[in-house]
Amino acid sequence: MTVAVVPVPFDPALLRPRILHIGFGAFARAHPMVYLNQGLGTAGGDWGVVAARLNSGAEALSELDTADGLYHVAEADGETMSLRQIGVLCGTCHPARDGADALPDLIAAPDLSLILLTITEKGYCTRGGALDMENGAIRADLDGTNLPQTAIGVIVAGLERRRAAGGEGLTILSCDNQPDNGALTRAAVLGFARAKGGDLAGWIERRVRFPSSMVDRIVPAMTEDGRALITEALGREDDNAILCEPFRQWVIEDNFVGQPPPFAAGGALLVPDVQPFEEMKLRLLNGAHTTLAWVGQLLGHETVADCMGNPPLRSAIRQLMLREQAPTLRLPEDVDVTAYADDLLARFGNTRLKHQLVQIAMDSSQKMPQRLFAPVASNLKAGRPWSVSALALAAWIEGLQSLGPIDDPRRDELRLAARGADPVAAIFGLTDLIPAELIPNETFTDTVRSVFTQIQAKGIGPVLDMSLTEQQP
Ligand code: CS2
């Protein structure tokens, strides 16, 4: 294996805390921070980042402090590894360690210009596109007597202070896998501000911008194997390092208050409309991931790369991408969708990444609408095929019944529905799981029920074979 080590390409002493990153986990370390690191190296600037988490993860932040915020990102495939040292952090913050006021005060500080979010789909606490007022953490944050639990609550508390201090507006940039993630963040923040009362919501509407963005890089949770690989390549341990694939892409809506940080100099694309990029990625990459997570687990596989070694499953994924997802898209200009799909299959085959299917299966109720329900609705309407999508949905329901513990914010409802006499109808009937406008007809439930019954009767293998069309795309 060829190893290249790239030191921090700028002087970290020049940075000031101008960006707050909420949800500083593996993806944050390996994606937006890499763009900023490279951008600062190329274009310069003083854009330092404060890394924050809200619930778990206080120890991980303290470990970063111990290392002066420095860590490595190992970008690896079968043949090469590049170890990039990241130097963009200028502090960390956690309410349980630093107190309830620490994050709102940071947001109110005049230097702060941007809040980045990687809080996962469920972190927005929305249902049907609006803030979920029944969500226990949102209610607790509205009550405000305990430490903050939600990013939305903390942001609104910070904006309230910023406004009271006569501060300028700022930008809030979502980096999570949701369609129109800027509009969703805006809806959640405004919903919370309105629930608090007063005229803060009006100030936010006028002063805060919420660009949408499409983010892409496969960054599995760290494993012992990953750590060992990095220690060997680096010649010493780095407890804060993270392993990911070499590929990365970031397409950001060009809609900032003032000048954006040098993300474009770091390789990001700033465009007027991210939607075509976002949908292509959510449906082809993430839709395939969710399909692999459930079908692959039922077949006994553990990782995405293992699945790529199973020829019928690999063919089904290619069919899903090209026959079922691609026809539903308004493609970005100059994109060759067949090449995009084949590149994805190659990325999925990266054996350096032990990307666990169980990790992708997490929170599936939050992922299904954008990854599978919306494209299936489009295919149903147009009379196009959707057999691999039906297999994925039936495998999910079978998995909810037969696989290990369910890790999902709607776990209790899903478990109950999966145990009933007609689990497919019961799950699809859950409130706000499938937005009414997405699935317009009965054919949908009947088709998935029939695939589900066949999986129960014959096992997943033969049903997978049946879902493959004779002529491969
Ligand atoms: C994955 C994503 O866990 C998941 O749901 O589909 O994290 C995926 O790896 C990234 O979106 C890739 O960009």
Side-chain angles (χ1 to χ4, degrees), residues 277-295:
F277 295 94
E278 205 175 59
E279 259 182 12
M280 177 176 74
K281 190 262 173 173
L282 279 173
R283 294 184 184 184
L284 267 70
L285 189 158
N286 298 109
H289 257 177
T290 292
T291 304
L292 288 170
W294 293 101
V295 178

Side-chain angles (χ1 to χ4, degrees), residues 166-179:
E168 303 283 320
L170 47 63
T171 306
I172 302 180
L173 176 55
S174 165
C175 307
D176 283 294
N177 288 317
Q178 306 252 47

Side-chain angles (χ1 to χ4, degrees), residues 294-309:
W294 293 101
V295 178
Q297 285 192 91
L298 291 182
L299 284 163
H301 298 308
E302 250 183 55
T303 67
V304 174
D306 293 345
C307 292
M308 289 299 101

Side-chain angles (χ1 to χ4, degrees), residues 177 215-218 281 285-286 289 355 360 367 371:
N177 288 317
V215 290
D216 190 6
R217 175 166 251 187
I218 297 174
K281 190 262 173 173
L285 189 158
N286 298 109
H289 257 177
H355 199 183
I360 301 170
K367 299 175 176 175
R371 298 182 183 198

Side-chain angles (χ1 to χ4, degrees), residues 8 75 103 263 284 332 418 440 449:
V8 178
E75 302 166 343
L103 280 169
F263 294 139
L284 267 70
R449 190 190 290 110

Side-chain angles (χ1 to χ4, degrees), residues 168-448:
E168 303 283 320
L170 47 63
T171 306
I172 302 180
L173 176 55
S174 165
C175 307
D176 283 294
N177 288 317
Q178 306 252 47
D180 228 344
N181 50 14
L184 189 81
T185 312
R186 184 173 188 273
V189 167
L190 286 176
F192 195 97
R194 289 196 188 107
K196 278 188 105 170
D199 53 3
L200 179 64
W203 184 86
I204 296 173
E205 274 176 317
R206 289 190 300 280
R207 303 292 185 90
V208 180
R209 302 246 180 115
F210 297 87
S212 283
S213 83
M214 177 274 247
V215 290
D216 190 6
R217 175 166 251 187
I218 297 174
V219 189
M222 272 305 267
T223 60
E224 281 312 312
D225 279 4
R227 270 186 217 298
L229 198 68
I230 293 175
T231 306
E232 195 195 321
L234 194 62
R236 65 175 170 88
E237 286 186 9
D238 176 354
D239 292 339
N240 298 302
I242 191 88
L243 178 75
C244 63
E245 63 172 341
F247 181 90
R248 63 184 160 99
Q249 192 177 15
W250 196 6
V251 185
I252 309 171
E253 184 188 348
D254 192 359
N255 176 26
F256 286 74
V257 174
Q259 281 300 310
F263 294 139
L269 198 60
L270 268 75
V271 299
D273 179 15
V274 298
Q275 203 230 358
F277 295 94
E278 205 175 59
E279 259 182 12
M280 177 176 74
K281 190 262 173 173
L282 279 173
R283 294 184 184 184
L284 267 70
L285 189 158
N286 298 109
H289 257 177
T290 292
T291 304
L292 288 170
W294 293 101
V295 178
Q297 285 192 91
L298 291 182
L299 284 163
H301 298 308
E302 250 183 55
T303 67
V304 174
D306 293 345
C307 292
M308 289 299 101
N310 177 332
L313 183 53
R314 195 175 194 280
S315 300
I317 293 301
R318 193 164 188 274
Q319 180 176 318
L320 171 81
M321 291 179 186
L322 292 174
R323 283 260 167 83
E324 302 181 22
Q325 306 283 47
T328 68
L329 299 171
R330 175 167 69 93
L331 286 169
E333 263 175 50
D334 299 331
V335 165
D336 171 350
V337 75
T338 307
Y340 183 80
D342 285 329
D343 287 348
L344 286 178
L345 292 170
R347 289 168 61 194
F348 290 172
N350 185 337
T351 48
R352 288 278 175 219
L353 308 179
K354 306 281 178 242
H355 199 183
Q356 302 287 323
L357 298 176
V358 69
Q359 186 190 343
I360 301 170
M362 243 170 72
D363 298 346
S364 282
S365 70
Q366 313 293 299
K367 299 175 176 175
M368 288 290 176
Q370 55 277 23
R371 298 182 183 198
L372 289 161
F373 294 146
V376 167
S378 158
N379 284 332
L380 271 170
K381 208 165 160 195
R384 286 186 300 254
W386 55 287
S387 58
V388 181
S389 313
L391 177 76
L393 294 171
W396 175 41
I397 296 169
E398 169 62 22
L400 290 173
Q401 278 194 346
S402 63
L403 295 173
I406 306 170
D407 194 339
D408 195 294
R410 299 190 70 175
R411 180 182 50 237
D412 297 341
E413 297 164 80
L414 289 168
R415 196 185 289 133
L416 202 67
R419 279 202 207 119
D422 183 353
V424 175
I427 287 177
F428 291 164
L430 293 176
T431 328
D432 290 331
L433 178 69
I434 309 184
E437 72 279 9
L438 285 187
I439 307 291
N441 67 41
E442 279 292 305
T443 319
F444 172 68
T445 309
D446 292 346
T447 307
V448 177

